[in-house]
């Protein structure tokens, strides 16, 4: 099985953390970035262009969710936020999350109790435009009210079969 751990770092949003677990892994570690000066001892740096040059956050989400054509050669990918330092190899993470009947997995959020709590935190921390957040919250309240009390998933780790 060919594995790639990747991250997306656009607009200097985060610092890139080295991944000491790379020494114990056969996976490729790839950082997709728009920073031509970025260097790392554990990541292979791949230069990309933001899909939406005026919206770095959403550009990064496109690559995180849809991937990049360079990932097509892999059987399994693990996407992590650039601010995450792994404590286990990608192989161990895949073994834990991707059982035979699972194609994609995310971890439960470690300290938010509900999706509504996550909406509140996004607004409190100014992570996105309040109008956009409230529009999405209203949509949930009208069309998927039960989802607001569900335990949220953490987007800092996305594991999937390709």
């Amino acid at each position: 099985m060919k594995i790639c751990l990747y991250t997306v770092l656009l607009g200097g949003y985060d610092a890139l953390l080295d991944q000491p677990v790379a020494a114990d892994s056969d996976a490729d570690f790839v950082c997709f970035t728009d920073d031509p000066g970025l260097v790392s001892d554990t990541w292979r740096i791949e230069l990309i262009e933001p899909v939406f040059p005026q919206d770095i956050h959403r550009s990064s989400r496109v690559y995180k969710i849809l991937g990049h054509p360079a990932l097509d050669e892999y059987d399994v990918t693990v996407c992590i936020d650039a601010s995450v330092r792994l404590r286990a190899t990608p192989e161990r993470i895949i073994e834990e999350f991707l059982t035979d009947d699972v194609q994609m997995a995310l971890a439960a959020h470690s300290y938010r109790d509900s999706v509504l709590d996550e909406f509140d935190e996004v607004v409190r921390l100014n992570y996105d435009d309040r109008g956009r957040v409230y529009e999405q919250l209203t949509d949930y309240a009208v069309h998927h009210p039960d989802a607001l009390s569900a335990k949220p998933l953490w987007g800092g780790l996305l594991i999937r079969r390709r």
Side-chain angles (χ1 to χ4, degrees):
M1 172 171 42
K2 193 166 182 185
I3 299 169
C4 182
L5 176 87
Y6 74 99
T7 192
V8 181
L9 184 55
L10 298 176
Y13 183 78
D14 280 320
L16 182 64
L17 297 178
D18 279 328
Q19 297 293 332
V21 300
D24 299 318
S25 175
D26 290 327
D28 291 335
F29 286 62
V30 179
C31 174
F32 295 103
T33 184
D34 60 348
D35 181 355
L38 188 63
V39 295
S40 171
D41 291 333
T42 55
W43 296 95
R44 183 177 83 225
I45 306 299
E46 294 284 338
L47 287 177
I48 59 171
E49 294 292 325
V51 176
F52 307 109
Q54 298 301 311
D55 194 338
I56 295 299
H57 183 75
R58 281 178 180 67
S59 290
S60 127
R61 292 298 176 252
V62 168
Y63 289 110
K64 180 177 190 174
I65 294 167
L66 299 177
H68 183 276
L71 300 172
D72 290 346
E73 68 183 86
Y74 296 95
D75 301 308
V76 177
T77 58
V78 179
C79 183
I80 63 170
D81 286 351
S83 62
V84 171
R85 180 169 285 129
L86 295 180
R87 291 185 283 187
T89 63
E91 290 87 349
R92 281 196 48 217
I93 292 168
I94 291 164
E95 184 179 320
E96 180 179 337
F97 282 92
L98 285 188
T99 56
D100 290 340
D101 59 335
V102 175
Q103 296 299 309
M104 183 174 80
L106 291 98
H109 201 292
S110 61
Y111 51 93
R112 299 263 194 280
D113 292 325
S114 71
V115 170
L116 183 58
D117 291 342
E118 184 67 13
F119 272 103
D120 289 342
E121 241 352 68
V122 167
V123 168
R124 187 181 75 77
L125 296 172
N126 254 350
Y127 280 164
D128 204 342
D129 176 75
R130 286 174 188 257
R132 186 179 291 136
V133 173
Y134 287 129
E135 179 182 344
Q136 187 176 7
L137 176 57
T138 300
D139 190 68
Y140 272 63
V142 170
H143 299 290
H144 308 284
D146 293 345
L148 292 172
S149 60
K151 177 82 173 162
L153 299 173
W154 179 54
L157 175 72
L158 172 62
I159 309 117
R160 82 178 119 215
R161 296 183 202 284
R162 303 222 18 115

